[in-house]
Amino acid sequence: LESAARGLKSRDPTDRLKTVQDLAELDISLTKKHLLALLNDEHLAVRQEAARVLGTHKVHEAILPLSEWLTVPEKDQRKTAAVVLGNIGSPKAIGALTRTLADPEPSVRIAAIEALGQIGGPDVVVPLTGRLDDKTSSVRQAATEQLLRVGDARAVIPLIDRLDDTSKDVRIAALNAIGKLGDRRSVRAVMRALRDSMPDVQVAAVEALGRLRADVALDTLIGMLDAHTNDDLQAKVAFALAQIGQPAALRTLVRNLTPTARGVNEALLFAGPGAVDPLIECLDDRVSCDPVAAVRLLAQIKDKRATPWLIRELDKGRVRTEVVVEALGKIQDPRAQVPLLGLLESNNPVVRERALTAVGPLLDARAADALIQLLGDDVERVRTQAAAHLGALRVRAAVPHLLRLLDE
């Protein structure tokens, strides 16, 4: 600290700047007095660095001098003051920051807007909404984003007005904020944004409708999914339908399910247990879909309601047996033990191996004979798995067979 005190007296601003950086590593209770004094340093970089350190430690004694900085001629100093006041986060700075929203420099106005967003609370909503009609689009966008950060429902109606903004980025930011604020009064306005001329805005509108769980938009979104537009938009529509979660929405997703429709697959996986019934309807031929993709998805959801239909699928033969077996193995329903044991006699070595892997955790002593039989299988991996299961089940009758296998 003594060395730092000497450094602060140096006439070289580079030395003073390095000293400020050194002070940042020390206990703020010991350095606060020196840092506050440096806010009046003749060199801008030194003043800014001192302010930054004070902001990092949320030193409230810096609020008044930093508020005075908001009116100095140097725009960089005004901007620094706004940023640091935001970092301190005290409501005491709201008045000064609100006045700074009229600053002639857009970068300073944005810094003040972001600082108000950091401080938050009901008192910043009106100042922020007042900047939604700023002449500079980047300032309007910043105000929109900070209103979302504050999360006050009073911002919804002013944000709806921004859906007609001349800037695409502002429209997207407004849709993002509206969706996350979750006020359903905005649904109709968001639906109009689906007709926006810019694809990015359409995507943002779809995402907002999903977050709002806007069931009134269901028919429109279903039509967009069935229209098979670009992949990105289709994926967003699929996820929005999953968020809405209505049976009609989930059935539509199942109808569009294919192994390559990644967005639809991810949406149904998000729906989780809610997607099981429509997927079962697919396997039961009540909904037209790709049964292979349905089986793979049921394997990921791991809901035991699917077990009887997966077992039936083994007899239908539409889906490769090993794919159904893998799904039954992931679901781990005891009802699958008998059919899986039956597949241990399959002529297909891949099916035998997959069935043995799938049934493993479900095995009990009743499987002993079938496992002993598999010790003579012509596939080494099947023999190895069978031996491991017999050991885990402590099947004493298997000992002679295991010894013979060991000799071989």
Side-chain angles (χ1 to χ4, degrees):
L1 189 59
E2 291 177 3
S3 173
R6 289 193 298 272
L8 294 176
K9 295 177 182 177
S10 171
R11 293 184 179 182
D12 186 345
T14 304
D15 291 340
R16 297 199 303 278
L17 181 60
K18 184 179 183 307
T19 300
V20 175
Q21 293 166 345
D22 292 339
L23 288 173
E25 305 300 320
L26 302 177
D27 186 335
I28 189 63
S29 64
L30 300 175
T31 60
K32 179 169 58 176
K33 176 179 66 175
H34 300 289
L35 290 167
L36 288 168
L38 286 168
L39 293 179
N40 295 312
D41 192 277
E42 63 184 17
H43 197 274
L44 176 59
V46 176
R47 298 197 299 272
Q48 288 177 311
E49 185 64 16
R52 185 191 65 78
V53 176
L54 289 165
T56 300
H57 292 281
K58 300 186 184 302
V59 177
H60 282 227
E61 292 92 328
I63 293 173
L64 181 58
L66 288 171
S67 297
E68 293 171 352
W69 278 22
L70 294 172
T71 60
V72 300
E74 297 95 337
K75 71 173 182 179
D76 288 343
Q77 186 170 343
R78 300 199 304 274
K79 181 178 177 180
T80 297
V83 170
V84 174
L85 286 170
N87 291 338
I88 294 173
S90 172
K92 294 179 180 178
I94 291 176
L97 288 167
T98 299
R99 290 189 290 275
T100 306
L101 296 179
D103 193 281
E105 285 292 332
S107 63
V108 177
R109 298 201 297 278
I110 289 173
I113 285 168
E114 291 174 346
L116 289 169
Q118 281 181 276
I119 295 169
D123 292 339
V124 306
V125 176
V126 172
L128 289 175
T129 54
R131 285 295 98 193
L132 289 176
D133 59 357
D134 193 280
K135 62 183 180 180
T136 303
S137 63
S138 58
V139 177
R140 300 197 299 274
Q141 182 178 345
T144 300
E145 291 167 350
Q146 295 309 313
L147 283 167
L148 168 59
R149 185 178 191 173
V150 174
D152 193 303
R154 288 177 293 165
V156 171
I157 300 303
L159 286 170
I160 288 174
D161 291 339
R162 288 300 99 205
L163 298 183
D164 294 321
D165 197 280
T166 55
S167 165
K168 175 191 77 169
D169 292 335
V170 174
R171 299 199 299 277
I172 291 172
L175 285 164
N176 185 46
I178 287 169
K180 290 180 178 177
L181 287 171
D183 192 319
R184 292 174 64 86
R185 291 177 297 172
S186 59
V187 168
R188 295 294 180 185
V190 174
M191 287 182 67
R192 288 195 295 274
L194 292 173
R195 299 192 295 271
D196 195 281
S197 60
M198 302 300 294
D200 290 350
V201 179
Q202 294 173 21
V203 168
V206 167
E207 290 179 319
L209 289 169
R211 293 191 184 103
L212 291 166
R213 287 172 168 73
D215 48 5
V216 297
L218 197 57
D219 290 342
T220 302
L221 292 172
I222 287 173
M224 293 176 70
L225 187 71
D226 289 337
H228 296 287
T229 51
N230 69 76
D231 290 344
D232 183 49
L233 181 58
Q234 187 181 42
K236 299 298 185 184
V237 171
F239 195 76
L241 288 169
Q243 287 176 299
I244 293 171
Q246 296 284 351
L250 297 175
R251 287 192 187 96
T252 299
L253 289 173
V254 170
R255 282 201 311 273
N256 285 272
L257 180 63
T258 66
T260 57
R262 184 176 176 183
V264 175
N265 279 266
E266 290 177 353
L268 285 167
L269 195 57
F270 170 82
V276 171
D277 285 339
L279 289 167
I280 287 173
E281 290 174 1
C282 163
L283 297 183
D284 202 32
D285 299 320
R286 285 178 281 160
V287 173
S288 175
C289 80
D290 184 323
V292 176
V295 168
R296 292 191 186 280
L297 202 54
L298 287 167
Q300 292 178 274
I301 297 173
K302 300 179 182 178
D303 192 303
K304 289 181 171 58
R305 285 177 292 165
T307 300
W309 279 267
L310 290 171
I311 292 172
R312 292 178 198 173
E313 201 61 39
L314 290 171
D315 295 327
K316 287 184 177 181
R318 295 182 301 177
V319 182
R320 293 200 322 275
T321 301
E322 55 266 35
V323 175
V324 181
V325 166
E326 187 175 350
L328 289 169
K330 288 182 178 180
I331 293 173
Q332 289 296 301
D333 188 330
R335 291 175 293 177
Q337 181 183 15
V338 172
L340 288 172
L341 285 174
L343 290 171
L344 297 179
E345 300 178 5
S346 170
N347 292 326
N348 185 334
V350 175
V351 171
R352 294 199 302 276
E353 184 183 350
R354 296 277 179 88
L356 192 53
T357 301
V359 80
L362 301 173
L363 289 173
D364 55 33
R366 293 174 294 175
D369 290 342
L371 292 171
I372 289 172
Q373 191 71 26
L374 287 173
L375 293 176
D377 197 277
D378 56 0
V379 177
E380 183 181 352
R381 288 191 300 273
V382 175
R383 297 196 299 272
T384 303
Q385 280 196 71
H389 290 317
L390 287 164
L393 292 170
R394 287 175 162 72
V395 180
R396 292 183 179 276
V399 171
H401 303 278
L402 290 166
L403 287 171
R404 187 161 52 250
L405 188 62
L406 191 62
D407 289 338
E408 293 172 0

